[in-house]
Amino acid sequence: MKRRDLLRHLERHGCVLLREGGNHTVYVNRAKGKSSTIPRHREINDFLARKICRDLEVPEAE
């Protein structure tokens, strides 16, 4: 899955950017009190994308 598609999916479900790091971006779901890191790769493995969605308690991206 493309990184930008995953970020767009997370933002559509109420997640916001918390901070940018050197190798990762941290997104947070403030409604649920959850956070997760997203690596800075153009392609993100589907298993990792699924885990990020589960961590943030949003529906899985397709």
Side-chain angles (χ1 to χ4, degrees):
M1 156 172 270
K2 297 278 184 197
R3 181 179 192 271
R4 68 175 176 262
D5 294 336
L6 177 60
L7 296 180
R8 199 172 300 133
H9 172 77
L10 295 176
E11 289 172 355
R12 262 189 259 129
H13 288 90
C15 298
V16 293
L17 172 69
L18 181 64
R19 66 182 170 86
E20 293 279 349
N23 297 318
H24 292 84
T25 302
V26 179
Y27 267 75
V28 63
N29 184 344
R30 298 211 168 146
K32 309 266 181 160
K34 303 289 182 175
S35 67
S36 186
T37 58
I38 295 106
R40 289 191 181 223
H41 303 278
R42 286 186 189 271
E43 283 287 329
I44 295 179
N45 187 317
D46 288 337
F47 294 109
L48 180 57
R50 220 174 297 145
K51 182 204 179 296
I52 291 167
C53 290
R54 261 188 269 127
D55 287 348
L56 292 170
E57 296 184 7
V58 298
E60 292 181 6
E62 295 164 11

